[in-house]
């Protein structure tokens, strides 16, 4: 393949639409947030901060618990991506691990990992698969009278004038406070 060889037309667009279709059928953003929450929780206890010649080590006795919590959150994120039917379990587990990470791993990765995991878990629990789109022909077959969809009552869509002559002279005051019946506008409470 040389530099002059043109790329296949539409390959990027085709892959992008495939990815968007895959992403739309699962809690993608929830999984991403849970994974992003697991990374700082697992990383900060083992990180060394260099300030000039001074090394600040965050290694604590809870380093192993931080590593376990962070790895579990990353695994739960991948689980949300590839096993969408366990989204409720994975979301609740991510929320619980985020809460446990506060006392066990440097305030949940300095609250960064905690917030990402908590938001991702909540998104996973609340995600629901969408309904597949209906075809155009199925929508065209369910029309009622006057082209209105079948579910709508055709009598309530258009206001019709009153044709009854006996009703034209009567008052439509239903409050019982008209001057014709002697009421003064005050309602009685019973």
């Amino acid at each position: 393949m040389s530099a002059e060889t043109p790329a296949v037309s539409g390959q990027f667009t085709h892959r992008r639409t495939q990815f968007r279709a895959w992403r739309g059928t699962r809690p993608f953003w929830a999984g991403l947030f849970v994974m992003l929450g697991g990374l700082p929780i697992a990383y900060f206890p083992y990180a060394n901060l260099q300030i000039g010649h001074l090394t600040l080590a965050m290694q604590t006795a809870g380093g192993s618990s931080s590593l376990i919590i962070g790895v579990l959150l990353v695994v739960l994120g991948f689980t949300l991506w590839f096993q969408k039917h366990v989204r409720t379990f994975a979301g609740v587990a991510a929320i619980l691990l985020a809460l446990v990470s506060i006392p066990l791993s440097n305030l949940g990765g300095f609250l960064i990992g905690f917030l990402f995991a908590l938001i991702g878990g909540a998104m996973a629990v609340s995600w629901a698969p969408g309904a597949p789109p209906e075809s155009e022909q199925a929508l065209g077959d369910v029309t009622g009278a006057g082209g209105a969809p079948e579910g709508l009552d055709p009598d309530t869509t258009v206001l019709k004038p009153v044709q009854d002559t006996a009703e034209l002279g009567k008052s439509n005051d239903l409050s019982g406070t008209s001057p014709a019946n002697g009421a003064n506008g005050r309602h009685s409470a019973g």
Side-chain angles (χ1 to χ4, degrees):
M1 188 172 205
S2 67
E4 290 84 26
T5 306
V8 177
S9 176
Q11 183 70 18
F12 176 74
T13 305
H14 178 67
R15 295 288 181 204
R16 187 174 61 100
T17 55
Q18 278 183 336
F19 175 70
R20 290 181 72 186
W22 175 82
R23 186 185 71 194
T25 60
R26 60 202 70 242
F28 175 79
W29 294 107
L32 184 66
F33 272 71
V34 169
M35 281 189 273
L36 288 177
L39 294 177
I41 290 173
Y43 174 74
F44 285 141
Y46 296 102
N48 292 331
L49 179 62
Q50 295 284 342
I51 302 173
H53 294 290
L54 179 67
T55 301
L56 179 64
M58 293 296 297
Q59 297 170 351
T60 63
S64 61
S65 64
S66 298
L67 183 64
I68 291 170
I69 290 171
V71 168
L72 283 175
L73 284 172
V74 170
V75 168
L76 284 173
F78 277 113
T79 302
L80 286 170
W81 279 2
F82 297 109
Q83 300 291 326
K84 62 183 175 184
H85 58 277
V86 294
R87 65 175 171 78
T88 305
F89 167 76
V92 170
I95 291 171
L96 291 176
L97 284 172
L99 291 172
V100 167
S101 73
I102 291 176
L104 294 181
S105 65
N106 298 330
L107 291 174
F110 298 118
L111 297 179
I112 298 168
F114 163 72
L115 289 176
F116 272 117
L118 192 69
I119 291 170
M123 289 170 64
V125 170
S126 66
W127 183 82
E134 296 180 17
S135 65
E136 291 287 328
Q137 182 187 14
L139 290 176
D141 292 341
V142 288
T143 57
E150 187 69 32
L152 294 178
D153 186 10
D155 292 336
T156 60
T157 56
V158 178
L159 293 177
K160 298 176 185 172
V162 177
Q163 299 297 327
D164 190 10
T165 56
E167 295 291 325
L168 289 178
K170 292 184 179 179
S171 172
N172 62 355
D173 184 21
L174 299 177
S175 65
T177 60
S178 67
N181 65 2
N184 62 359
R186 296 184 186 152
H187 295 284
S188 64

